[in-house]
Amino acid sequence: MFNPDADQSPFNPLPPVVMVLAAAMALVELAFQAGAMGLVGGPEAVGWRLEAVRSYAFLDAVWDWMVTNGRYPNEHLLRFLTFPFVHGSFTHAAFAVVIVLAIGKAVGEVFSPVAFLVTFFVASAVGAIAFGTLIDTEYPLFGGYPGAYGLIGAFTFLLWVKLAAVGANAMRAFTLIGVLMGIQLVFGLFFGPDPTWIADLAGFFAGFGLSFLISPGAWTRVVAKLRQR
């Protein structure tokens, strides 16, 4: 018997917005790799990564200067949008891309493309502000992890709503973030503390909180569930 679905792929395609975001992060890293190997850009390309950190990463000193003086030049505000695309190494970038693809698929299938991007970039910005406000450090913040953790926050919200809707223990939804924070703690014990966990955790809570507002129908479902109690 003819099956109209026989030729369909067993794998659901990634939402285009997820692929575009992940591709943008990957392409920047590939440019750094190509420059370091002398394939493009000439001799000065070897320093592309360092120059990108200097020009596009979030810097605590720059943030402190803006807050102290009440001045917010566009060139520095732009850092909130650019630092997620600058990574310290190929491995650093690869893990961020993998998280965006894996978690982004689940979120992107529910959120609109605009809501998906808002979650990523607002979580990145909130993570950077928390990083710059809560600690005093010369360590630059760069990489897609605060935004990726924002997507994890959105994913946690979706799972939280789903578990609550069937009467299951909704706190199970926070298992993933608990495991990830535990891994960061272990790495910190062995390799020294990394202050960027503050940005990651702030990004997670930003993504979770935003989901109340931008996840389609989520707030209605939550309110309905609470009224049943």
Side-chain angles (χ1 to χ4, degrees):
M1 181 181 294
F2 174 71
N3 182 359
D5 297 326
D7 295 330
Q8 290 186 0
S9 170
F11 303 102
N12 293 327
L14 286 167
V17 67
V18 178
M19 292 190 293
V20 169
L21 179 60
M25 297 168 66
L27 287 173
V28 172
E29 179 58 32
L30 289 176
F32 290 156
Q33 293 292 326
M37 291 186 289
L39 300 178
V40 296
E44 64 273 13
V46 175
W48 276 356
R49 190 188 302 277
L50 182 60
E51 181 60 30
V53 170
R54 183 181 299 113
S55 301
Y56 300 112
F58 178 86
L59 303 176
D60 180 48
V62 172
W63 172 249
D64 288 343
W65 177 87
M66 289 194 292
V67 172
T68 300
N69 293 279
R71 296 173 57 190
Y72 300 90
N74 291 334
E75 62 181 294
H76 293 317
L77 289 177
L78 189 63
R79 294 175 184 268
F80 287 101
L81 300 179
T82 57
F83 83 82
F85 299 95
V86 179
H87 293 86
S89 66
F90 177 83
T91 302
H92 189 226
F95 276 108
V97 170
V98 167
I99 295 175
V100 167
L101 288 173
I103 302 298
K105 181 180 187 300
V107 176
E109 289 176 343
V110 178
F111 283 37
S112 71
V114 172
F116 178 88
L117 292 176
V118 166
T119 300
F120 181 84
F121 285 108
V122 170
S124 297
V126 170
I129 292 173
F131 180 82
T133 302
L134 298 178
I135 61 173
D136 185 14
T137 179
E138 296 181 358
Y139 193 90
L141 177 65
F142 51 85
Y145 290 90
Y149 271 73
L151 297 178
I152 293 173
F155 172 76
T156 299
F157 176 85
L158 295 176
L159 184 57
W160 177 67
V161 170
K162 181 178 180 180
L163 290 172
V166 297
N169 181 9
M171 295 306 295
R172 287 165 45 197
F174 294 88
T175 301
L176 178 58
I177 186 62
V179 170
L180 292 174
M181 286 293 104
I183 292 174
Q184 289 207 14
L185 176 61
V186 171
F187 271 85
L189 293 175
F190 283 98
F191 302 105
D194 181 354
T196 59
W197 70 266
I198 296 173
D200 297 342
L201 191 59
F204 168 82
F205 283 113
F208 184 85
L210 270 174
S211 298
F212 281 90
L213 303 176
I214 62 178
S215 176
W219 179 247
T220 302
R221 294 197 299 270
V222 171
V223 171
K225 183 61 183 177
L226 290 176
R227 287 175 175 172
Q228 294 174 7
R229 295 183 176 180

